[in-house]
Amino acid sequence: MIQRIQTIFLLIVVLAQVALHFTGLDVAVFGNVYVIATLSLVSFLLALLSIFSYKKRMRQILLNNINIFINALLTGLLMYWLLNLSGGIDFPEKGIELAFPLISLFGLFMANVNIKKDEKLVKSVDRIR
């Protein structure tokens, strides 16, 4: 069933990663290499794959855990980039990129909680039969 609550959370992750990809194109952490845009694209693809593997809940949890690791890496890279920019972190035009991986982390965590709840429900019904 694709119409579950975790699908909504995963769609929020997809939207946040698309926004990060387009706002992160000007972020160059290591010279001219676009690490942020590439990692956001990988995270986007993992979230889409997780949405469409709704019949295999354990695979969804695995994909979400990999995606959580990628978003934690993105958060760390963006913090490094923000702290090394001239003007420091107090400059008001910087920092919108950092919100998107944090939104994704929240969405992935909540999706995992609900997927585990579904898995527990399915196992309890199988135990009754």
Side-chain angles (χ1 to χ4, degrees), residues 67-82:
N67 212 345
I68 285 171
F69 175 75
I70 290 172
N71 278 296
L73 184 66
L74 276 169
T75 303
L77 286 173
L78 285 169
M79 284 297 291
Y80 173 77
W81 175 71
L82 283 172

Side-chain angles (χ1 to χ4, degrees), residues 12-13 15-29 34-41 43 70-85 88-89 91-105:
I12 290 171
V13 171
L15 292 175
Q17 292 305 321
V18 167
L20 177 63
H21 180 73
F22 288 117
T23 60
L25 287 175
D26 62 341
V27 176
V29 178
Y34 299 110
V35 177
I36 303 298
T38 306
L39 285 176
S40 67
L41 186 63
S43 179
I70 290 172
N71 278 296
L73 184 66
L74 276 169
T75 303
L77 286 173
L78 285 169
M79 284 297 291
Y80 173 77
W81 175 71
L82 283 172
L83 291 173
N84 285 334
L85 282 179
I89 201 165
F91 194 65
E93 292 179 3
K94 298 186 295 187
I96 189 65
E97 292 91 358
L98 185 60
F100 299 125
L102 295 175
I103 291 169
S104 294
L105 282 171

Side-chain angles (χ1 to χ4, degrees), residues 1-17 47-48 50-52 54 60 64 103-112 114-115 118:
M1 288 191 311
I2 201 163
Q3 67 270 18
R4 299 180 300 176
I5 187 69
Q6 53 264 33
T7 306
I8 302 296
F9 288 123
L10 289 171
L11 281 175
I12 290 171
V13 171
V14 166
L15 292 175
Q17 292 305 321
L48 275 181
S50 180
I51 287 174
F52 291 112
Y54 56 89
Q60 266 189 326
N64 288 347
I103 291 169
S104 294
L105 282 171
F106 174 75
L108 289 165
F109 176 74
M110 292 304 295
N112 269 353
N114 287 307
I115 293 168
D118 279 355

